[in-house]
């Protein structure tokens, strides 16, 4: 019995050696993903885009903003003139944090009058909130201690009250509920999993059933075939998206602040991009099993690099460039922006352009690959 089992095992190894695509996926992809994720994943969030609402416009207020940037946790991306502009910058994704310095900040510090600065934080990502608030609190506390020591030296006696303090204001998810952060992201993750897998097996299934030849001899053009394969699944994607949103709202009490028609309109590009990618995988795979394996290896980078689990700002720049090429990265910004922040079309125009470019590239790739198959 042992001899027969060994013979079968040897036969499996020989068969696996002939299947070079599967062999490459089993050996190369795990190593590549280990190196990529080990390099990219980081929970220490730095370079958080920050806008400054400086109502004092003094040397002291500018020094406070520069000292925040010097920590490496904040990147000052611009100045705003009101709380509405802070909100607009956060809805468009330009900023995740807003520093508000009150009027007479410098004179209050000089005269020994207690003062406070405000840190407005985008609560749609709890890790951004934690990192942003902790660093700013430490910085303000250190400055307050220095002011206190200086006054003590001048007065020669302890002074009552804290000279400077930080007032946090968390927007969009003030209770920092995990469900509010996770559920909108799950819309994109689940759609990616199902849409890519559905179409990844489309041509492979045709090939295994022997019906691919009928498509080849039919008068259907390659672009028409790709579009025709994608269209039915877009409706399925919308049904899935509606179910997830309804469950998130009624079961997990996730608020829907923005426009649902806008979300559905922009989601069409995301769904189509995933379907086109699945179809491209389908042209590479010889069997449905290979198509499924490719889909699986694609889903993992989506979850880890798109900002679903780890903040996008925490990743190194090269990893961010790779993540920009993933449809899920842009859809997460769209769905969280609309559902949690009430983002409008102009706020999300940049993400829309990215999704349109990715979709065009994937449809062109799938069409070209299918043309090559015909040849």
């Amino acid at each position: 019995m042992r001899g027969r089992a060994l013979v079968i095992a040897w036969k499996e190894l020989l068969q696996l050696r002939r299947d070079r695509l599967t062999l490459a996926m089993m050996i190369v992809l795990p190593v590549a993903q280990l190196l990529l994720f080990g390099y990219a994943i980081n929970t220490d969030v730095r370079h958080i885009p920050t806008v400054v609402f400086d109502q004092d416009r003094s040397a002291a207020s500018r020094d406070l903003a520069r000292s925040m940037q010097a920590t490496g946790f904040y990147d000052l991306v611009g100045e705003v003139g009101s709380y509405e502009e802070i909100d607009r910058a956060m809805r468009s994704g330009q900023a995740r944090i807003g520093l508000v310095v009150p009027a007479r900040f410098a004179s209050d510090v000089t005269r020994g009058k207690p003062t406070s600065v405000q840190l407005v934080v985008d609560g749609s990502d709890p890790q951004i909130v934690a990192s942003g608030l902790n660093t700013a609190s430490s910085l303000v506390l250190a400055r307050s201690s220095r002011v206190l020591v200086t006054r003590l030296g001048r007065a020669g006696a302890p002074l009552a009250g804290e000279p400077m303090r930080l007032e946090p204001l968390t927007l969009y998810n003030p209770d920092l509920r995990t469900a509010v952060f996770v559920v909108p992201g799950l819309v994109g993750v689940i759609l990616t999993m199902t849409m890519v897998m559905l179409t990844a097996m489309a041509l492979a299934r045709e090939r295994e059933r022997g019906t691919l030849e009928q498509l080849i001899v039919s008068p259907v053009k390659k672009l028409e075939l790709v579009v025709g394969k994608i269209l039915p699944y877009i409706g399925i994607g919308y049904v899935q998206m509606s179910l997830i949103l309804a469950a998130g709202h009624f079961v997990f009490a996730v608020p829907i602040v923005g426009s649902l028609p806008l979300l559905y309109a922009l989601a069409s590009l995301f769904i189509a991009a995933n379907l086109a990618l699945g179809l491209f995988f389908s042209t590479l795979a010889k069997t449905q099993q290979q198509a499924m394996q490719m889909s699986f290896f694609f889903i993992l980078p989506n979850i880890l690099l798109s900002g679903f689990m780890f903040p996008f700002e925490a990743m190194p720049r090269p990893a961010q460039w790779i993540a920009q090429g993933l449809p899920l990265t842009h859809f997460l910004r769209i769905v969280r922006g609309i559902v949690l922040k009430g983002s409008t079309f102009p706020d999300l125009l940049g993400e829309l352009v990215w999704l349109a470019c990715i979709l065009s590239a994937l449809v062109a790739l799938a069409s070209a690959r299918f043309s090559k198959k015909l040849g």
Side-chain angles (χ1 to χ4, degrees):
M1 179 178 177
R2 182 182 300 175
R4 290 196 296 269
L6 289 175
V7 170
I8 295 296
W10 179 247
K11 171 185 167 295
E12 286 297 316
L13 284 176
L14 291 177
Q15 194 168 355
L16 189 61
R17 192 182 65 176
R18 295 190 194 101
D19 189 355
R20 295 183 179 178
L21 186 59
T22 301
L23 197 61
M25 284 191 291
M26 292 174 61
I27 296 174
V28 178
L29 281 180
V31 176
Q33 291 190 344
L34 173 66
L35 296 175
L36 175 62
F37 300 148
Y39 171 69
I41 295 175
N42 188 356
T43 56
D44 188 13
V45 188
R46 292 178 177 269
H47 303 290
I48 307 171
T50 304
V51 292
V52 180
F53 179 19
D54 189 354
Q55 303 175 71
D56 189 51
R57 297 195 172 277
S58 62
S61 63
R62 289 190 291 273
D63 181 62
L64 175 64
R66 283 195 298 269
S67 64
M68 286 183 63
Q69 188 171 28
T71 63
F73 284 85
Y74 310 92
D75 283 348
L76 302 183
V77 295
E79 291 194 5
V80 295
S82 64
Y83 282 96
E84 288 76 17
E85 291 186 25
I86 294 177
D87 180 54
R88 195 177 307 133
M90 289 188 179
R91 281 191 283 112
S92 65
Q94 179 193 355
R96 307 297 294 269
I97 284 180
L99 172 66
V100 182
V101 183
R104 300 183 299 278
F105 170 75
S107 62
D108 287 346
V109 172
T110 304
R111 289 185 300 171
K113 187 177 177 181
T115 185
S116 61
V117 293
Q118 193 174 43
L119 200 72
V120 184
V121 187
D122 180 354
S124 62
D125 190 335
Q127 294 188 60
I128 295 283
V129 176
S131 184
L133 285 181
N134 290 339
T135 308
S137 298
S138 302
L139 181 69
V140 171
L141 182 61
R143 280 181 165 255
S144 180
S145 299
R146 285 201 298 271
V147 172
L148 199 60
V149 170
T150 303
R151 290 182 194 172
L152 183 62
R154 291 175 184 170
L159 299 177
E162 194 176 2
M164 192 185 305
R165 65 180 184 275
L166 182 75
E167 291 183 354
L169 173 63
T170 304
L171 301 181
Y172 314 127
N173 184 15
D175 297 330
L176 298 179
R177 292 175 53 224
T178 303
V180 173
F181 167 68
V182 170
V183 170
L186 281 175
V187 176
V189 172
I190 294 174
L191 281 177
T192 299
M193 292 172 62
T194 55
M195 294 296 101
V196 172
M197 285 185 180
L198 279 175
T199 45
M201 293 186 291
L203 283 183
R205 185 169 54 240
E206 299 270 8
R207 191 178 297 111
E208 286 184 351
R209 291 178 178 175
T211 55
L212 183 61
E213 290 76 9
Q214 297 176 9
L215 286 176
I216 292 175
V217 298
S218 69
V220 178
K221 296 179 180 177
K222 57 186 179 182
L223 184 60
E224 292 172 340
L225 176 66
V226 172
V227 174
K229 284 283 185 184
I230 286 175
L231 280 179
Y233 295 109
I234 292 181
I236 297 174
Y238 274 128
V239 172
Q240 286 185 337
M241 181 176 158
S242 302
L243 292 175
I244 299 167
L245 285 175
H249 184 65
F250 293 109
V251 178
F252 297 101
V254 175
I256 299 178
V257 179
S259 167
L260 277 179
L262 176 62
L263 176 60
Y264 276 75
L266 299 186
S268 62
L269 289 180
F270 172 68
I271 294 173
N274 280 308
L275 292 173
L277 181 63
L279 208 55
F280 174 65
F281 286 160
S282 186
T283 62
L284 296 175
K286 296 178 181 176
T287 63
Q288 293 189 60
Q289 182 186 5
Q290 287 182 348
M292 184 69 74
Q293 289 171 342
M294 287 182 188
S295 305
F296 175 76
F297 282 115
F298 173 73
I299 288 167
L300 196 56
N302 266 272
I303 293 175
L304 296 181
L305 299 182
S306 62
F308 172 68
M309 291 184 66
F310 305 101
F312 185 83
E313 291 80 1
M315 295 190 299
R317 194 68 68 184
Q320 291 183 2
W321 294 338
I322 295 173
Q324 290 285 17
L326 301 174
L328 183 58
T329 301
H330 306 284
F331 185 69
L332 285 181
R333 295 169 185 166
I334 289 174
V335 69
R336 284 174 177 160
I338 293 176
V339 171
L340 302 180
K341 306 177 187 177
S343 298
T344 58
F345 182 78
D347 297 327
L348 302 170
L349 187 58
E351 311 303 333
L352 181 64
V353 171
W354 267 103
L355 277 180
C357 292
I358 292 172
L359 173 61
S360 302
L362 290 174
V363 169
L365 273 175
S367 301
R369 180 68 192 174
F370 188 74
S371 175
K372 187 177 178 181
K373 284 283 178 185
L374 289 177

